[in-house]
Amino acid sequence: MKKIILIVLIGFVIYKQFFSLEEVVSSENKFKIELPFKPNIKTDVNNLPNIGRLKITSYEMRKDELFCSVSVTDYLDNNDPMGEIEDTIRPTKRHLTKGFGGKISSEDYIFSGAVKGYEINLLAKNNKLVKSRTFIYENHVYSLLCSFSKAQTTDVDTIMQSFSFI
């Protein structure tokens, strides 16, 4: 029995060493999430004809077969929300299937606190899994995306569940 407890304890320590999460907090973009590594942060402002200026801030991390990102889009020329969550579903499906290939395995409405979102799971043509979540909060659109191997499913679920608004 002592050997089993020791093996479980060693396994837990090794797991924590290779998959410990770091909390990323963005007070400007009003969210927090736990990621395995500190993300690279990039901000671009695009001026789109007939739409206006969009500020897109991406928080991206990649290691081996795991890629995760949080992209926050802010409509700079208007303080109104950029539509409803339903307005994002079809374009997100189209971009996921075009970008990753494969087919959608599940989709449904989800919530982060009281904020309604939409989750899409995809089996990509390279046998990778893709999980996407989209939320509209105040005048920001939040897009969470992870591409991963089947062995990382639990880890990605933990990352996605850690996302919350502040």
Side-chain angles (χ1 to χ4, degrees), residues 3 99 157:
K3 284 183 182 180
D157 288 343

Side-chain angles (χ1 to χ4, degrees), residues 71-84:
S71 295
V72 181
T73 304
D74 185 12
Y75 187 27
L76 296 176
D77 295 332
N78 194 339
N79 286 332
D80 294 332
M82 298 170 66
E84 300 293 326

Side-chain angles (χ1 to χ4, degrees), residues 82-129:
M82 298 170 66
E84 300 293 326
I85 195 66
E86 288 74 15
D87 299 325
T88 69
I89 295 171
R90 282 185 29 179
T92 301
K93 286 177 170 181
R94 185 174 57 246
H95 292 302
L96 286 173
T97 54
K98 184 177 180 185
F100 290 98
K103 60 190 256 184
I104 293 171
S105 56
S106 68
E107 57 185 298
D108 204 355
Y109 288 96
I110 54 167
F111 287 87
S112 178
V115 180
K116 182 169 76 170
Y118 200 77
E119 178 180 271
I120 299 171
N121 291 287
L122 176 100
L123 176 58
K125 65 182 174 186
N126 62 359
N127 287 326
K128 288 245 184 166
L129 301 173

Side-chain angles (χ1 to χ4, degrees), residues 8-164:
V8 169
L9 186 58
I10 290 171
F12 180 74
V13 169
I14 291 171
Y15 173 80
K16 280 298 193 184
Q17 219 173 12
F18 290 102
F19 195 81
S20 59
L21 297 174
E22 177 177 325
E23 186 173 60
V24 176
V25 178
S26 173
S27 54
E28 177 186 358
N29 290 310
K30 302 179 182 179
F31 79 91
K32 64 181 177 178
I33 190 169
E34 292 181 352
L35 295 170
F37 306 97
K38 185 174 179 166
N40 294 321
I41 303 170
K42 181 176 126 183
T43 300
D44 290 318
V45 175
N46 298 310
N47 193 3
L48 302 176
N50 300 324
I51 295 175
R53 294 178 306 134
L54 296 177
K55 177 181 171 186
I56 303 168
T57 304
S58 298
Y59 302 76
E60 299 179 352
M61 57 114 323
R62 176 185 310 272
K63 181 170 185 206
D64 301 326
E65 298 210 343
L66 175 64
F67 169 80
C68 288
S69 72
V70 177
S71 295
V72 181
T73 304
D74 185 12
Y75 187 27
L76 296 176
D77 295 332
N78 194 339
N79 286 332
D80 294 332
M82 298 170 66
E84 300 293 326
I85 195 66
E86 288 74 15
D87 299 325
T88 69
I89 295 171
R90 282 185 29 179
T92 301
K93 286 177 170 181
R94 185 174 57 246
H95 292 302
L96 286 173
T97 54
K98 184 177 180 185
F100 290 98
K103 60 190 256 184
I104 293 171
S105 56
S106 68
E107 57 185 298
D108 204 355
Y109 288 96
I110 54 167
F111 287 87
S112 178
V115 180
K116 182 169 76 170
Y118 200 77
E119 178 180 271
I120 299 171
N121 291 287
L122 176 100
L123 176 58
K125 65 182 174 186
N126 62 359
N127 287 326
K128 288 245 184 166
L129 301 173
V130 178
K131 183 181 289 266
S132 169
R133 288 185 174 183
T134 305
F135 298 94
I136 297 177
Y137 179 63
E138 296 180 352
N139 63 338
H140 295 66
V141 176
Y142 297 82
S143 299
L144 287 70
L145 177 86
C146 286
S147 171
F148 54 100
S149 67
K150 188 173 184 173
Q152 297 167 311
T153 300
T154 302
D155 298 334
V156 168
D157 288 343
T158 301
I159 291 167
M160 291 285 189
Q161 290 299 328
S162 74
F163 179 84
S164 63

